[in-house]
Protein backbone atom coordinates (compact mmCIF):
# COMPACT_ATOMS: atom_id res chain seq x y z
CA UNK A 1 0.00 0.00 0.00
CA UNK A 2 1.27 3.47 -0.90
CA UNK A 3 0.38 6.42 1.33
CA UNK A 4 1.35 9.95 0.28
CA UNK A 5 1.73 12.88 2.68
CA UNK A 6 2.28 16.34 1.20
CA UNK A 7 3.41 19.54 2.88
CA UNK A 8 5.80 22.41 2.26
CA UNK A 9 6.97 22.16 5.89
CA UNK A 10 9.51 19.48 6.79
CA UNK A 11 8.77 19.80 10.51
CA UNK A 12 5.14 18.83 9.81
CA UNK A 13 6.24 15.83 7.74
CA UNK A 14 8.72 14.59 10.32
CA UNK A 15 6.03 14.88 12.98
CA UNK A 16 3.79 12.61 10.88
CA UNK A 17 6.65 10.20 10.34
CA UNK A 18 7.44 9.95 14.04
CA UNK A 19 3.76 9.39 14.82
CA UNK A 20 3.61 6.60 12.24
CA UNK A 21 6.59 4.82 13.75
CA UNK A 22 5.11 5.19 17.25
CA UNK A 23 1.61 3.98 16.38
CA UNK A 24 2.65 1.19 13.98
CA UNK A 25 6.05 -0.11 15.11
CA UNK A 26 7.76 -2.57 12.81
CA UNK A 27 9.76 -5.65 13.78
CA UNK A 28 12.48 -4.32 16.12
CA UNK A 29 15.01 -6.71 14.59
CA UNK A 30 14.45 -5.31 11.07
CA UNK A 31 15.84 -1.87 10.22
CA UNK A 32 13.49 0.91 9.18
CA UNK A 33 14.34 2.16 5.69
CA UNK A 34 14.12 5.92 5.07
CA UNK A 35 15.13 6.95 1.54
CA UNK A 36 16.40 10.54 1.41
CA UNK A 37 17.80 12.89 -1.23
CA UNK A 38 21.17 13.59 0.42
CA UNK A 39 23.19 12.82 3.54
CA UNK A 40 22.46 16.21 5.08
CA UNK A 41 18.78 15.31 5.14
CA UNK A 42 19.63 11.93 6.69
CA UNK A 43 21.53 13.60 9.52
CA UNK A 44 18.78 16.14 10.19
CA UNK A 45 16.06 13.49 10.05
CA UNK A 46 17.88 11.19 12.47
CA UNK A 47 18.19 14.03 15.01
CA UNK A 48 14.53 15.00 14.61
CA UNK A 49 13.34 11.42 15.07
CA UNK A 50 15.59 10.94 18.11
CA UNK A 51 14.10 14.07 19.66
CA UNK A 52 10.54 12.84 19.13
CA UNK A 53 11.00 9.11 19.74
CA UNK A 54 13.64 9.25 22.43
CA UNK A 55 16.12 7.32 20.26
CA UNK A 56 16.85 6.81 16.57
CA UNK A 57 18.33 3.32 16.30
CA UNK A 58 18.24 0.63 13.60
CA UNK A 59 17.35 3.15 10.87
CA UNK A 60 18.88 3.08 7.39
CA UNK A 61 19.05 6.26 5.26
CA UNK A 62 20.00 5.23 1.69
CA UNK A 63 19.94 7.64 -1.24
CA UNK A 64 17.48 6.75 -4.05
CA UNK A 65 20.01 5.21 -6.46
CA UNK A 66 21.72 3.19 -3.73
CA UNK A 67 18.36 1.96 -2.45
CA UNK A 68 17.19 0.80 -5.87
CA UNK A 69 20.49 -0.99 -6.49
CA UNK A 70 20.11 -2.66 -3.09
CA UNK A 71 16.67 -3.90 -4.16
CA UNK A 72 18.15 -5.23 -7.41
CA UNK A 73 20.67 -7.20 -5.38
CA UNK A 74 17.94 -8.56 -3.10
CA UNK A 75 15.61 -9.63 -5.89
CA UNK A 76 17.89 -10.53 -8.81
CA UNK A 77 20.65 -13.10 -8.82
CA UNK A 78 24.08 -12.18 -10.22
CA UNK A 79 23.57 -8.45 -9.67
CA UNK A 80 27.02 -6.83 -9.18
CA UNK A 81 27.77 -5.59 -5.68
CA UNK A 82 28.61 -2.13 -7.03
CA UNK A 83 27.15 -0.22 -9.95
CA UNK A 84 30.02 0.19 -12.42
CA UNK A 85 27.95 2.73 -14.35
CA UNK A 86 28.07 5.30 -11.57
CA UNK A 87 29.37 8.61 -13.02
CA UNK A 88 32.39 8.51 -10.68
CA UNK A 89 33.35 5.15 -12.18
CA UNK A 90 32.33 5.76 -15.80
CA UNK A 91 34.34 8.97 -16.08
CA UNK A 92 37.67 7.13 -15.84
CA UNK A 93 36.84 4.63 -18.56
CA UNK A 94 35.41 7.40 -20.78
CA UNK A 95 38.61 9.40 -20.24
CA UNK A 96 40.63 6.45 -21.51
CA UNK A 97 38.31 5.92 -24.48
CA UNK A 98 38.50 9.59 -25.47
CA UNK A 99 42.27 9.22 -25.71
CA UNK A 100 41.87 6.44 -28.28
CA UNK A 101 39.70 8.35 -30.79
CA UNK A 102 42.39 10.02 -32.87
CA UNK A 103 41.62 9.69 -36.58
CA UNK A 104 38.43 7.69 -36.02
CA UNK A 105 35.36 8.60 -38.05
CA UNK A 106 32.11 9.56 -36.35
CA UNK A 107 33.62 11.58 -33.51
CA UNK A 108 34.01 14.86 -35.41
CA UNK A 109 31.65 16.80 -33.06
CA UNK A 110 34.13 16.42 -30.18
CA UNK A 111 37.33 16.01 -32.21
CA UNK A 112 38.14 19.72 -32.36
CA UNK A 113 37.65 20.10 -28.60
CA UNK A 114 39.90 17.15 -27.86
CA UNK A 115 42.57 18.38 -30.27
CA UNK A 116 42.65 21.75 -28.49
CA UNK A 117 42.58 20.31 -24.96
CA UNK A 118 45.22 18.98 -22.63
CA UNK A 119 44.80 16.00 -20.27
CA UNK A 120 42.78 18.09 -17.82
CA UNK A 121 40.39 19.23 -20.57
CA UNK A 122 39.87 15.64 -21.71
CA UNK A 123 39.05 14.56 -18.15
CA UNK A 124 36.61 17.47 -17.75
CA UNK A 125 34.83 16.32 -20.92
CA UNK A 126 34.80 12.72 -19.62
CA UNK A 127 33.14 13.87 -16.40
CA UNK A 128 30.46 15.77 -18.32
CA UNK A 129 29.76 12.82 -20.61
CA UNK A 130 29.57 10.44 -17.62
CA UNK A 131 26.96 12.64 -15.93
CA UNK A 132 25.02 12.84 -19.18
CA UNK A 133 25.09 9.05 -19.68
CA UNK A 134 23.93 8.61 -16.08
CA UNK A 135 20.90 10.80 -16.84
CA UNK A 136 20.18 8.77 -19.98
CA UNK A 137 20.19 5.54 -17.97
CA UNK A 138 17.58 6.94 -15.60
CA UNK A 139 15.42 9.12 -17.85
CA UNK A 140 16.08 7.80 -21.40
CA UNK A 141 16.31 4.00 -21.16
CA UNK A 142 14.83 3.77 -24.66
CA UNK A 143 17.90 5.58 -26.02
CA UNK A 144 20.22 3.16 -24.26
CA UNK A 145 18.31 0.20 -25.70
CA UNK A 146 18.51 1.63 -29.24
CA UNK A 147 22.21 2.38 -28.94
CA UNK A 148 22.96 -1.14 -27.73
CA UNK A 149 21.02 -2.59 -30.67
CA UNK A 150 23.29 -0.65 -33.04
CA UNK A 151 20.86 2.18 -33.82
CA UNK A 152 20.80 5.90 -33.13
CA UNK A 153 18.14 7.35 -30.86
CA UNK A 154 17.89 10.85 -32.32
CA UNK A 155 19.53 13.11 -34.89
CA UNK A 156 23.12 14.02 -34.10
CA UNK A 157 23.77 11.40 -31.42
CA UNK A 158 25.98 9.13 -33.53
CA UNK A 159 29.17 9.85 -31.61
CA UNK A 160 27.40 9.32 -28.27
CA UNK A 161 25.97 6.00 -29.44
CA UNK A 162 29.39 4.85 -30.64
CA UNK A 163 31.08 5.93 -27.42
CA UNK A 164 28.39 4.25 -25.32
CA UNK A 165 28.83 0.93 -27.12
CA UNK A 166 32.59 1.08 -26.49
CA UNK A 167 31.99 1.96 -22.85
CA UNK A 168 29.54 -0.91 -22.43
CA UNK A 169 32.04 -3.34 -23.93
CA UNK A 170 34.80 -2.04 -21.64
CA UNK A 171 32.78 -2.14 -18.40
CA UNK A 172 30.90 -5.31 -19.22
CA UNK A 173 28.69 -5.33 -16.12
CA UNK A 174 24.93 -4.75 -16.11
CA UNK A 175 23.50 -1.26 -15.69
CA UNK A 176 20.18 0.30 -14.61
CA UNK A 177 18.38 -0.52 -17.86
CA UNK A 178 19.54 -4.15 -17.78
CA UNK A 179 18.43 -4.53 -14.17
CA UNK A 180 15.03 -2.98 -14.90
CA UNK A 181 14.45 -5.36 -17.82
CA UNK A 182 15.33 -8.34 -15.64
CA UNK A 183 13.15 -7.08 -12.78
CA UNK A 184 10.09 -6.52 -14.97
CA UNK A 185 10.54 -9.91 -16.64
CA UNK A 186 10.79 -11.64 -13.26
CA UNK A 187 7.71 -9.78 -12.02
CA UNK A 188 5.69 -10.79 -15.08
CA UNK A 189 6.80 -14.40 -14.64
CA UNK A 190 5.87 -14.37 -10.93
CA UNK A 191 9.44 -15.11 -9.90
CA UNK A 192 10.09 -12.21 -7.50
CA UNK A 193 10.80 -13.06 -3.85
CA UNK A 194 8.70 -10.28 -2.35
CA UNK A 195 9.28 -11.75 1.11
CA UNK A 196 12.82 -10.41 0.85
CA UNK A 197 11.64 -6.80 0.63
CA UNK A 198 11.84 -4.46 3.64
CA UNK A 199 8.75 -4.57 5.85
CA UNK A 200 8.20 -0.84 5.35
CA UNK A 201 9.86 1.85 3.23
CA UNK A 202 9.51 5.60 3.69
CA UNK A 203 10.66 8.16 1.13
CA UNK A 204 11.16 11.48 2.88
CA UNK A 205 11.38 14.91 1.22
CA UNK A 206 11.27 13.61 -2.36
CA UNK A 207 9.93 16.38 -4.64
CA UNK A 208 10.63 14.32 -7.79
CA UNK A 209 11.78 10.88 -8.88
CA UNK A 210 12.33 9.34 -12.29
CA UNK A 211 9.72 6.78 -13.42
Amino acid sequence: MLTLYQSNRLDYLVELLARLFSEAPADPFCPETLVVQHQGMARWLSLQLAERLGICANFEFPLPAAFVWQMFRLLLEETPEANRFEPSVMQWQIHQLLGELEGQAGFEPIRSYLDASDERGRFDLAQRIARCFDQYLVYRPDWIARWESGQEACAGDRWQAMLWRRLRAALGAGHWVDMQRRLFHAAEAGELRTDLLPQRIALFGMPALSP
Side-chain angles (χ1 to χ4, degrees):
M1 180 179 69
L2 175 66
T3 304
L4 178 65
Y5 300 97
Q6 293 179 300
S7 176
N8 60 354
R9 295 178 53 188
L10 288 178
D11 56 337
Y12 176 72
L13 290 174
V14 77
E15 197 69 47
L16 283 172
L17 191 63
R19 191 186 311 160
L20 172 66
F21 291 151
S22 295
E23 295 175 353
D27 184 341
F29 296 103
C30 295
E32 288 280 7
T33 301
L34 283 167
V35 184
V36 293
Q37 286 280 30
H38 51 79
Q39 289 302 329
M41 176 65 77
R43 177 63 176 163
W44 178 84
L45 193 53
S46 66
L47 293 173
Q48 295 297 315
L49 289 173
E51 183 178 312
R52 289 164 172 79
L53 300 175
I55 188 173
C56 181
N58 207 19
F59 280 78
E60 295 181 348
F61 298 91
L63 303 188
F67 171 72
V68 173
W69 198 262
Q70 180 185 348
M71 293 303 99
F72 285 152
R73 295 203 69 212
L74 272 177
L75 298 170
L76 300 174
E77 294 181 359
E78 300 180 5
T79 299
E81 181 175 354
N83 180 8
R84 297 185 67 185
F85 287 83
E86 287 283 347
S88 59
V89 179
M90 277 195 290
Q91 64 190 14
W92 295 102
Q93 189 64 53
I94 293 172
H95 176 258
Q96 179 178 331
L97 292 172
L98 291 177
E100 302 170 356
L101 300 182
E102 186 174 356
Q104 298 192 29
F107 293 96
E108 290 79 9
I110 58 172
R111 183 73 268 158
S112 58
Y113 176 85
L114 290 171
D115 290 342
S117 299
D118 57 11
E119 193 78 9
R120 183 178 300 177
R122 175 154 58 98
F123 186 69
D124 179 66
L125 179 61
Q127 287 182 309
R128 293 170 182 267
I129 293 173
R131 289 194 294 267
C132 194
F133 281 172
D134 180 59
Q135 292 294 298
Y136 292 161
L137 284 167
V138 176
Y139 295 100
R140 292 288 184 269
D142 54 320
W143 289 16
I144 299 296
R146 288 178 66 84
W147 287 352
E148 294 188 352
S149 67
Q151 306 175 57
E152 296 175 19
C154 61
D157 71 344
R158 184 186 177 202
W159 72 268
Q160 293 187 71
M162 293 169 62
L163 183 61
W164 174 263
R165 286 192 284 269
R166 296 184 184 201
L167 177 67
R168 176 63 196 267
L171 294 179
H175 50 61
W176 280 92
V177 180
D178 292 327
M179 298 298 106
Q180 287 178 33
R181 289 191 195 119
R182 289 180 56 198
L183 187 74
F184 296 155
H185 177 75
E188 291 171 358
E191 298 172 353
L192 288 183
R193 288 281 309 278
T194 54
D195 58 301
L196 299 176
L197 292 170
Q199 187 176 5
R200 175 168 57 195
I201 303 164
L203 286 78
F204 188 88
M206 295 286 185
L209 285 172
S210 73

